[in-house]
Amino acid sequence: MAHSGINVLLEGDNFIRLLGGLWVTIKIAFTSLAFGLVLGVLLGVLRTFKNRLLRFVLRIYLEFFRVVPTVVLLFLFYYILPRQLNFNLPANELATFVFALWVAAEMSDIVRGALISVPKHQQESGKAIGLSRWQLYRYVLIPQAFSLELPATINLATRVIKTTSILMLISVMDVINIGQQVIEANNHTYPNGVFWVYGIIFLFYFLIDYPLSWWARRLEKKGLERENG
Amino acid sequence: MAEEILKVENMHKYYGKKHVLHDINFSVSEGEVVTLLGPSGSGKSTLIRTLNGLEDYQEGAIFFQGTKINPDEKHWQQLRQKIGMVFQSYDLFPNLKVIDNILLGPTKVQGRNKEEVESEAHQLLAQVGLEEFANAYPRQLSGGQKQRVAIVRALALHPEFMLFDEVTASLDPEMVRGVLEIIENLAKNDNMTMIVVTHEMNFAQQIADRVLFLEDGNILEQTPADQFFTDPQTDRAKEFLDSMDF
């Protein structure tokens, strides 16, 4: 077993490097989620306002980020915009930025959907005790929308984490990119290292995403139980 | 003559081209209980909802305590502290405990001292027999209990005028009594001025000082309650009372 493939992971600092790559992945995913979710809630609230122009602009924003594939968005921001607009960011920050905008777009739709599904009577009761529009959102609508939107939000988070795997295309040193380097560097000594490296990457992603998707499913089930009492 | 609290003058309301309220004129004096009666679709709910700005109107004016109401959202928001309203679909906020449902308006809208409002809220809850539910969530309450809390929530703002829009219409029959008693106490003991939309004829007769009878968005008659239930002025109202097995 001198050349057992699993040793590729233990060779030199390979494993540490993979963990480092994983850390970059996690940092980008969670930073973009943090910014994107906050911005998304704000945009979602704005999308329930009556102002048509505002709603139209935000709708275009949503459709743009939803329709254009994430890879294309990344290329657009990484290769095209810097040249045209002199807008330069290091790859990691740029990736975080693009992902945050994407998350905000998707989140705005989740929030809007949840807000408009809070029964109209709730709004009227809120108004009837003199709440201002801001107070109505703050104390009545947003808290009630929160439990409606939580499962969809967690699903969005798992998608964002998975999608970080394309970041290697703009040279972000994420776990996939590092993995690829490890495979190539050890190609001679460990011809089937690719299996082990991607195996460990699979495990990494699984360990992060599975608990999230389990949580989402549990919340959805609990929601159904509550509604059907 | 008691002071006039509310006056509606030549009010018309349209939904698009549909004329739903026709030249509505009436006034309510302090301490008076007015019930709006009429068949379904006669515009009772629409009318009562215009009185706290949940529905707009296209012509005419509403005066509250002698001042003409400027019908924009900001002014209505101020006025709603004085004009309490309870709805058919007892809409407590499900995300808040009973006590927080009650405290929300007084503390956040009126900026009153929390401890003070809280002790008052407990007192009001006790009056409607629900003091032990202060820390419960609305989903743990029955329909009748929720409706009683909704009334307390409105009263906690110290309104000068109350609107009740078919508050017992979606309750189980055995729950109706308790809710109506509270409204009756409010009218008789606290001398609250109120407009009540209801289908409970016995109840209407017990509490009403005056009846406005509506059909198709018109006020067909305004009659003192004693007279309305024994000798209504219009044939339509007679028919209506007969059809209600009254």
Side-chain angles (χ1 to χ4, degrees):
Chain A
M1 294 284 282
H3 281 281
S4 171
I6 194 169
N7 286 327
V8 70
L9 300 176
L10 308 170
E11 196 81 30
D13 53 4
N14 282 356
F15 192 69
I16 303 292
R17 286 185 59 213
L18 282 169
L19 282 181
L22 182 67
W23 174 237
V24 170
T25 298
I26 290 175
K27 225 168 42 181
I28 291 175
F30 284 87
T31 316
S32 59
L33 276 167
F35 285 109
L37 293 180
V38 172
L39 182 61
V41 170
L42 189 73
L43 297 181
V45 168
L46 291 178
R47 285 188 60 205
T48 62
F49 285 12
K50 286 210 180 86
N51 189 319
R52 281 175 172 227
L53 179 69
L54 183 71
R55 268 166 37 199
F56 179 73
V57 170
L58 292 175
R59 185 68 201 272
I60 297 284
Y61 170 71
L62 165 72
E63 293 299 340
F64 178 77
F65 276 87
R66 178 184 278 166
V67 170
V68 180
T70 321
V71 184
V72 179
L73 287 173
L74 282 173
F75 283 163
L76 189 72
F77 279 80
Y78 191 68
Y79 293 115
I80 302 173
L81 290 186
R83 256 185 240 166
Q84 304 298 327
L85 302 174
N86 238 346
F87 176 82
N88 271 303
L89 274 181
N92 286 11
E93 279 75 9
L94 183 112
T96 310
F97 179 70
V98 173
F99 271 41
L101 290 180
W102 168 47
V103 170
E106 297 270 4
M107 188 62 186
S108 78
D109 214 36
I110 295 172
V111 170
R112 176 184 158 275
L115 283 173
I116 60 175
S117 58
V118 174
K120 188 164 169 257
H121 291 142
Q122 287 288 323
Q123 275 198 46
E124 293 187 342
S125 317
K127 281 186 185 172
I129 58 167
L131 296 180
S132 66
R133 178 151 81 166
W134 152 244
Q135 288 170 328
L136 198 59
Y137 275 95
R138 162 78 179 73
Y139 298 108
V140 178
L141 300 179
I142 293 177
Q144 289 184 44
F146 182 76
S147 54
L148 295 173
E149 74 205 14
L150 198 54
T153 308
I154 299 168
N155 281 330
L156 175 62
T158 62
R159 273 169 61 209
V160 169
I161 293 164
K162 276 193 298 187
T163 311
T164 52
S165 57
I166 60 172
L167 290 181
M168 67 175 294
L169 295 173
I170 58 163
S171 319
V172 170
M173 283 299 154
D174 74 327
V175 69
I176 307 267
N177 213 348
I178 304 268
Q180 202 62 38
Q181 288 179 352
V182 169
I183 291 163
E184 277 157 26
N186 297 279
N187 212 2
H188 283 292
T189 30
Y190 298 98
N192 52 8
V194 61
F195 172 75
W196 292 98
V197 170
Y198 274 105
I200 195 85
I201 290 173
F202 162 79
L203 194 67
F204 285 158
Y205 272 103
F206 183 81
L207 287 177
I208 303 172
D209 258 354
Y210 186 74
L212 283 175
S213 92
W214 175 82
W215 185 31
R217 253 182 298 135
R218 213 179 76 120
L219 285 170
E220 240 162 309
K221 222 175 104 197
K222 259 172 73 180
L224 281 178
E225 277 167 15
R226 219 185 4 242
E227 271 168 37
N228 302 319
Chain B
M1 179 77 189
E3 198 192 331
E4 184 179 272
I5 285 205
L6 183 93
K7 187 167 75 172
V8 177
E9 250 182 29
N10 306 109
M11 186 167 76
H12 291 263
K13 177 174 174 62
Y14 301 83
Y15 281 126
K17 282 195 171 162
K18 197 165 173 242
H19 199 168
V20 290
L21 292 176
H22 299 258
D23 196 25
I24 303 292
N25 288 284
F26 70 95
S27 61
V28 183
S29 311
E30 197 172 333
E32 195 180 16
V33 177
V34 173
T35 59
L36 295 186
L37 303 180
S40 307
S42 58
K44 308 181 297 284
S45 277
T46 309
L47 174 56
I48 201 171
R49 285 160 58 85
T50 59
L51 302 180
N52 81 340
L54 291 177
E55 297 280 349
D56 57 1
Y57 49 92
Q58 280 67 44
E59 284 169 46
I62 303 176
F63 296 81
F64 184 69
Q65 293 173 330
T67 315
K68 185 174 168 179
I69 293 174
N70 180 350
D72 66 19
E73 194 54 31
K74 263 229 127 50
H75 287 91
W76 277 120
Q77 195 191 307
Q78 293 299 314
L79 278 172
R80 286 181 187 131
Q81 300 167 40
K82 297 183 181 169
I83 307 177
M85 183 157 186
V86 182
F87 303 86
Q88 172 178 344
S89 50
Y90 34 89
D91 284 294
L92 300 182
F93 307 126
N95 54 311
L96 299 175
K97 289 177 182 169
V98 165
I99 187 77
D100 295 321
N101 263 277
I102 300 168
L103 295 183
L104 188 58
T107 56
K108 301 298 176 193
V109 177
Q110 299 180 319
R112 277 155 60 195
N113 177 290
K114 193 176 169 197
E115 279 75 43
E116 175 203 311
V117 186
E118 210 167 346
S119 76
E120 190 193 324
H122 282 288
Q123 229 174 326
L124 284 166
L125 279 174
Q127 278 174 30
V128 300
L130 292 174
E131 66 268 55
E132 72 270 34
F133 288 98
N135 287 309
Y137 279 92
R139 63 173 174 275
Q140 298 165 280
L141 272 58
S142 71
Q145 291 169 329
K146 282 185 209 168
Q147 194 59 292
R148 283 185 264 164
V149 174
I151 293 172
V152 167
R153 181 173 68 181
L155 292 178
L157 290 158
H158 298 159
E160 295 169 36
F161 185 43
M162 285 291 295
L163 306 170
F164 292 97
D165 186 8
E166 305 208 29
V167 291
T168 58
S170 49
L171 295 181
D172 284 341
E174 66 260 40
M175 305 283 185
V176 170
R177 194 64 245 157
V179 171
L180 294 184
E181 264 166 22
I182 291 165
I183 300 175
E184 204 175 331
N185 279 336
L186 205 56
K188 302 246 154 92
N189 303 341
D190 301 325
N191 214 20
M192 177 66 81
T193 317
M194 55 177 86
I195 296 184
V196 181
V197 172
T198 184
H199 283 118
E200 306 273 337
M201 289 302 132
N202 286 309
F203 172 66
Q205 191 185 25
Q206 272 171 43
I207 64 161
D209 296 315
R210 192 150 48 95
V211 173
L212 302 193
F213 182 71
L214 269 84
E215 189 183 50
D216 296 332
N218 293 288
I219 296 183
L220 291 192
E221 64 171 280
Q222 305 195 30
T223 315
D226 310 337
Q227 193 192 339
F228 182 83
F229 290 100
T230 50
D231 181 24
Q233 293 170 312
T234 56
D235 291 343
R236 187 62 191 94
K238 258 187 210 117
E239 264 172 53
F240 173 74
L241 287 175
D242 288 344
S243 74
M244 300 298 281
D245 277 330
F246 186 77

